Amino acid sequence: MSNPEGPDFERMVPFTDNWAYLKTELAWLDRLLMVAVSRQKRELQELDDFAISGEDRVTRHWWKGIISLSGQPNYDNARPPKTQRPSGSYAQQLEARILASQRQGVVLALPQLRDRLQLTMFEKNVLLLALAPEVNQRFGRLYSYLHYQHDEADWDLPTVDLCLRLLCRNDREWRRSRPLIAPNSRLSSLGLVEWLNADDTTLLSRHLRLTEDLTTYLLSEEPDPATLDAWAIAPTAAAGESSEIPAESWNSLVLPDPQLAQLKTVAAAARATDGTMVLLAGPSGTGKTLAAKVLAAELELLLVMVDLAAIAPDDEGNIPELEDLVNLPPCVLLLKNAPHWFGRTPTIESALVQSWVIQRRRQPGLTLLSSPYLQSIKPSWRQTMKGTVEFPSPDAAARELLWKRAIPPGVKKERSLTWPHVAQKLALTGGEIGTLAQTAVALAQQTEPPLLTLACLQQAIALHHPEMTLPRAKTARTKRAKAKNS
C-alpha cells in the first residue's frame, strides 16, 4: 500500500525535541534574511554610485526606473543562501517532519500553537520573526540593518513593514497579510504580541514583540500543551459570531453536481479577485452555511458570520457595526438574512449599504449573501453579484445520505428503522434532519442499552414537526400476508 503522505514521508527524520525544530526554522529565517541583506547592500551601493543629493535617495524608486543600472547581482560580503534541492518544497518537508515528530509524541511549541489557534502560515512566520532575537541577537542586528537604521540597540525587533517585505511574494499577498498584523488583529487580540511605539507612527513603522508568556512557551524544553488554554482560539466580530478557519471539506456537502461545480468556481474566483460577492439562495437548512464553511476552509480564510437581522440603526440613524464590518481581516464573510440590507424594503438606508459594499469590494476575501428566496433580493443588487448559487431541497437519495451522516458512529438502531424508508416518507432539509437526529439520539441514550428506535424518531418528529407522521415500514412478511389476503 502506498504511503498517503507521499513517497518521501517515511524517510523524513522527526525532530528530537522542540529546540531541534527551532534551529531548523531559524536556519531558514537566516537564509531569508541573507537574501534580503544582499539585495539591500546592492541597492545602497547603487545609491552611492548615482545619488547626488538627499532628494535623489528619497526618489530612488522613480529614477531607478529611468536609469539602466548595469552589473550582475552579488552578495557583497553577505554569505549567499544555501540552495535546497531535495524533492518537495521546504514547507512540505518541514510539515512532514513535524507530522513525524507528532506521531512519536514529540511536542513542538510553534506548530502546536499554529494548529490549536488555527493561525495562517503568515501569522506563524511573523511569530518566528519576533521570536528570533530572543534566541540570537544576530537576528536583531540584521533587522536593524534592514530597517535602514544606524542605532542597532534601539531597533532589534521586526516592524510591520519588514514582516511584509520578507514574507510576501507579491502585492496581492501584501494586501491580504497587512490586516493580519494590525493592532486589532488576532495576534494582538489573542495576547500573542504587543506593540511598541504604537501611537506615534504609521502602521508599517510599528515594532512588534512577543509577550513574555508566549516567548517562555515557545522556548520551552518540553512545551506544556495545557499552556495553550490561556489563549482564546478565535476572536469575534463585533456584529457577528465567532470566526475561525473551518475544517469542513467538499465531501461535507450533499448537493447536486451543478451546485458543487458553481461553488468550486466561486472559490477559484475568490482566489483570483479581491472583493468577490456571491448570493446564496435557498430554504433554511439546505446547506448555505455549510457551503460558507467549506469555502473558507478551501481558501484558508477566517469565517465571519453576521446576522443582518440583528443590526439596527441607533437613535440618530447611524449603524455602528458598519465600521467593524469594514475593518475585518481577510475572511469569508457570510451575511445571513441578506434581504434586511439588500431586499426590496431594506431596514437601513440604501446609501449606507452602497457605501459599505464599495469599501468591502476593495478588500481581500469573499462575501456571501444568504437569502431563503432569490426574489427577496432586489434585482439591482442581484445584477451586481459575481454569481448566484441556488440551493435546492434535497431529494430522497440526498435525504437518505443526510440521515446516515446525522447519526453519530457507534449509535445502534433497531432493524425496523431503515433510512430509505425515513427519507422517502419525510421531506425535510438537511438542517431539519440534523435537528431531528440530535433529538432522537438523545432519547435513545436514555434506554439501557442505548438503542435508536422508530419510537425515538417518532417522538422527535412529534416535538419538531407535529404535522408530520412516520408510518412503520412494511416488512416482507406483511407484504406476503397482504398479497395472500388479496
Side-chain angles (χ1 to χ4, degrees), residues 412-423 425 451-458 470-476 478:
K412 295 183 179 181
K413 67 179 183 68
E414 65 178 359
R415 291 185 177 181
S416 61
L417 181 59
T418 61
W419 299 131
H421 172 70
V422 174
K425 296 299 182 180
L451 181 66
L452 180 60
T453 63
L454 179 62
C456 294
L457 189 54
Q458 288 173 331
L470 177 62
R472 184 177 293 273
K474 295 180 180 179
T475 63
T478 303

Side-chain angles (χ1 to χ4, degrees), residues 222-474:
E222 297 180 357
D224 183 6
T227 306
L228 297 177
D229 295 335
W231 294 291
I233 292 182
T236 57
E241 304 171 20
S242 296
S243 59
E244 60 182 25
I245 299 179
E248 279 78 3
S249 67
W250 291 106
N251 292 331
S252 304
L253 293 171
V254 181
L255 289 172
D257 291 339
Q259 279 72 19
L260 284 174
Q262 285 181 304
L263 291 172
K264 291 181 179 180
T265 303
V266 169
R271 287 194 188 95
T273 308
D274 290 337
T276 300
M277 302 188 76
V278 175
L279 174 61
L280 308 182
S284 177
T286 50
K288 298 185 296 297
T289 300
L290 180 57
K293 293 180 180 180
V294 171
L295 288 169
E298 177 72 15
L299 297 171
E300 296 184 344
L301 292 175
L302 300 174
L303 174 63
V304 178
M305 294 185 287
V306 177
D307 188 353
L308 298 185
I311 299 178
D314 58 20
D315 295 337
E316 299 179 358
N318 298 319
I319 311 293
E321 293 86 352
L322 276 179
E323 183 177 354
D324 296 318
L325 292 178
V326 167
N327 297 322
L328 289 172
C331 66
V332 172
L333 174 61
L334 175 62
L335 299 179
K336 297 183 176 181
N337 289 306
H340 281 263
W341 280 19
F342 301 90
R344 301 174 187 272
T345 56
T347 56
I348 67 174
E349 292 185 15
S350 298
L352 291 176
V353 178
Q354 182 69 44
S355 176
W356 177 81
V357 168
I358 292 173
Q359 296 179 74
R360 178 63 185 164
R361 282 179 170 159
R362 294 172 180 168
Q363 297 175 325
L366 170 64
T367 304
L368 302 172
L369 278 60
S370 175
S371 172
Y373 304 104
L374 179 64
Q375 293 75 15
S376 298
I377 303 299
K378 196 174 180 180
S380 59
W381 281 119
R382 297 205 303 262
Q383 293 171 4
T384 64
M385 296 293 111
K386 290 292 182 68
T388 299
V389 182
E390 295 190 63
F391 289 69
S393 296
D395 58 17
R399 293 195 295 269
E400 180 181 348
L401 180 58
L402 288 167
W403 274 110
K404 292 177 179 178
R405 290 187 177 184
I407 304 301
V411 175
K412 295 183 179 181
K413 67 179 183 68
E414 65 178 359
R415 291 185 177 181
S416 61
L417 181 59
T418 61
W419 299 131
H421 172 70
V422 174
Q424 185 68 38
K425 296 299 182 180
L426 301 177
L428 301 169
T429 65
E432 292 169 333
I433 289 173
T435 301
L436 277 177
Q438 185 177 15
T439 302
V441 169
L443 293 171
Q445 298 296 332
Q446 299 176 10
T447 62
E448 185 59 39
L451 181 66
L452 180 60
T453 63
L454 179 62
C456 294
L457 189 54
Q458 288 173 331
Q459 283 183 260
I461 295 170
L463 175 63
H464 298 289
H465 299 279
E467 75 283 0
M468 290 186 173
T469 57
L470 177 62
R472 184 177 293 273
K474 295 180 180 179

Side-chain angles (χ1 to χ4, degrees), residues 116-119 186 189-192 228-235:
R116 178 74 179 275
L117 304 186
Q118 307 227 352
L119 301 179
R186 284 201 307 163
S189 62
L190 292 174
L192 302 177
L228 297 177
D229 295 335
W231 294 291
I233 292 182

